[in-house]
Amino acid sequence: MEMINAIGRRKASIARVYLTKGEGKITVNGKDYKNYFPQTHIQANITDPFITVGVDNIYDLKINVRGGGFKGQSEAVRMAIARALVKINEDFRKPLKDKKFLRRDARVVERKKYGKPKARKSFQFSKR
């Protein structure tokens, strides 16, 4: 099997995943994914697509991710892994789609408006 690559995006993060046959080694930006994402609930985002289709510890992953914070990065990686798995086997599409791993979550932070401290928050109103 050759190398399969896919791209995932979330908020300001872009993840490029390179998937090959192996023994389940996952590296993110040159580090092990457990060191790069120390929180366990964030690590689960990365392994969820494999568990969903039941192919954990079969593929090696080399991931390049940039932009955004750790949560957005992990969700971008999750989307890229799901897309790569669908390229390998089209039968994986249904379970991954049911869990919404293939859908691009387009929600981003709303811009700050002038005359306000944040996007929608206003200063305290004084009637008198």
Side-chain angles (χ1 to χ4, degrees), residues 2 5 14 20 27 41 43 46 75 84 93 98 101 114:
E2 74 284 350
N5 65 329
I14 300 171
T20 55
T27 58
H41 66 283
Q43 291 171 9
I46 289 158
E75 291 177 8
R93 178 176 285 281
D98 289 343
F101 290 162
Y114 59 86

Side-chain angles (χ1 to χ4, degrees), residues 12-28:
S13 303
I14 300 171
R16 289 189 302 277
V17 168
Y18 302 94
L19 190 135
T20 55
K21 272 272 198 239
E23 63 272 352
K25 192 174 161 202
I26 302 172
T27 58
V28 181

Side-chain angles (χ1 to χ4, degrees), residues 67-92:
F70 57 87
K71 186 155 177 26
Q73 284 187 350
S74 70
E75 291 177 8
V77 168
R78 181 178 70 187
M79 180 186 192
I81 292 169
R83 284 180 169 177
L85 288 171
V86 169
K87 283 184 183 178
I88 290 172
N89 188 348
E90 197 64 35
D91 296 336
F92 293 159

